[in-house]
Amino acid sequence: MSETRPSAPARKPRVALLFGGRSGEHAISAATAAGVLGAIDRTAYDVVPIGITRAGRWVVAEDRAERWQIADGRLPEVTSEDGAEVVLSLTTGESSLRVLEPGQVPSVLGEVDVVFPLLHGPFGEDGTVQGLLELADVHYVGAGVLASAVGMDKHFMKLVLAGHGLPVGPYEVVKPHEWVADPQACVARVEKLGLPLFVKPARAGSSLGITRVDDLADLPAAIEAAREHDPKVVVEAGIEGREIECAVLGGRNGARARASLPGEIVVDGTHAFYDFEAKYLDEAHVELACPADLPDAVVAEIRDAAVRTFEAVEAEGLSRVDVFVTPEQRVIVNEINTMPGFTPFSMYPRMWEASGVTYAELVDELIQLALERPTGLR
């Protein structure tokens, strides 16, 4: 009889962290990658950081959290000089990354078991990259193509949520051709919402391009500012109430999604609202209270609305749901973010921390959820 040799140990799952990208949230995506690089369990996973430049080139990125952090107001950026270009194979069942060096035969970087797309905004969070990963037949963290697209577009998001019986605030949509053809008619339609107004790009995140309007004379300029980020604009009626957020995590083995304890953002008079600077560059003037000081019944209603919102858009993996709680204790859904800010200091992980799940445990759970679900139609 031949000697029986011990089987080789199974290799660790290889996780590709995908960050940067073409949107205005490039730097925030890199900062999110810094958090995950510092927290992911290296004894359980092999990690391959892949940065995407603003031009869309995929490169092998430095595997060092400090390189991608926001520090002293400096916003990190992925450039072509960061590493060799890589491409993801679209051959079914292959799931490999290839390195492209000038004048060299392409080499295989390795098979990828799961992609963690830490991308915010257009060309990353909107279903485009998710579609690429579906074509590549690779597991990935987070929402699929449809949920990502609906979650990114505030117009269709509100239609879907209202269609599922969830309460949303009054709003108007200013489409590109409408604004070009007759801006005065658009302004007249929006005026009916009253004041204050919040003018937003329909498909942008991190409060980019958002303006609070307290004087109708400022409305055209606010719309133009939003159009710098997206030709389609959503204008929302201001809602009196507290801004509350709730983190949602997909369920295992067919179970319903789970909702964290809610958190609250309190911005002092330095900022008119929770804008980009308040979120990422001026923490001294922003208080993040988690869990939020709310009656138990309201907390339960917020958590229920968050899960229902997650299910309405058919999200997967993770989402953050933002709501208003009015003085009458009504809960109104503002939006869902299918790839929320995910630095250790972001509200999504902080809410789970307050709910008993550490940042490192959250990273692991999201990867395991991605590995558990099948690729393709589901």
Side-chain angles (χ1 to χ4, degrees), residues 137-163:
D137 195 32
V138 65
H139 295 273
Y140 61 93
V141 172
V145 176
L146 177 64
S148 297
V150 171
M152 189 81 253
D153 192 315
K154 296 177 178 65
H155 172 204
F156 287 99
M157 176 202 305
K158 291 176 185 294
L159 292 175
V160 169
L161 298 185

Side-chain angles (χ1 to χ4, degrees), residues 15-19 37 47-51 59-64 68:
V15 180
L17 301 182
L18 198 58
F19 63 94
L37 283 171
V47 181
V48 182
I50 303 295
V59 299
V60 179
E62 187 174 355
D63 189 359
R64 189 171 62 89
W68 307 110

Side-chain angles (χ1 to χ4, degrees), residues 167 296-306 329-331:
D296 290 346
V298 177
V299 169
E301 185 177 352
I302 291 168
R303 296 175 81 176
D304 177 68
Q329 307 285 31
R330 287 184 61 226
V331 175

Side-chain angles (χ1 to χ4, degrees), residues 74-98:
R74 179 192 63 82
L75 298 177
E77 180 169 352
V78 180
T79 69
S80 296
E81 286 70 43
D82 278 303
E85 184 175 3
V86 297
V87 294
L88 178 65
S89 171
L90 299 184
T91 302
T92 302
E94 192 167 303
S95 304
S96 63
L97 289 166
R98 286 184 168 83

